[in-house]
Amino acid sequence: MPAVSEIEVEQNVTFTVDKDGGHDKFAHYVQQDQFMEALVHGLPAVALCGKIWVPTREGSNYPVCKTCEEVYSQLI
């Protein structure tokens, strides 16, 4: 028997994605392990709002994306 089991959880989360480039002016929420891998290896990360990008700058200098905040609040 494996020591780790997988559990699939279905959550109904609704969010919108800003397609006009405004999302570049915000910090986004990303899973920490995915963010570190993206920084170390230069891989794209996927934010809770759906934005896909290669992180290259410090996010704490920007306001947090409202969509990421909404999604995160529904997950906790």
Side-chain angles (χ1 to χ4, degrees):
M1 175 175 236
V4 177
S5 61
E6 293 183 21
I7 299 173
E8 185 174 327
V9 177
E10 182 177 322
Q11 295 187 8
N12 295 322
V13 178
T14 303
F15 59 90
T16 59
V17 176
D18 182 358
K19 294 183 180 180
D20 69 357
H23 55 272
D24 290 329
K25 301 172 189 167
F26 296 97
H28 296 273
Y29 289 153
V30 178
Q31 289 181 349
Q32 186 172 0
D33 59 337
Q34 183 186 51
F35 182 73
M36 291 306 295
E37 186 173 346
L39 283 176
V40 171
H41 300 291
L43 300 173
V46 180
L48 293 179
C49 68
K51 177 182 177 170
I52 301 172
W53 86 110
V54 177
T56 58
R57 53 188 168 192
E58 179 59 43
S60 65
N61 298 328
Y62 300 92
V64 176
C65 167
K66 296 296 180 192
T67 306
C68 282
E69 282 185 323
E70 291 172 14
V71 174
Y72 181 75
S73 70
Q74 292 179 21
L75 296 174
I76 57 171

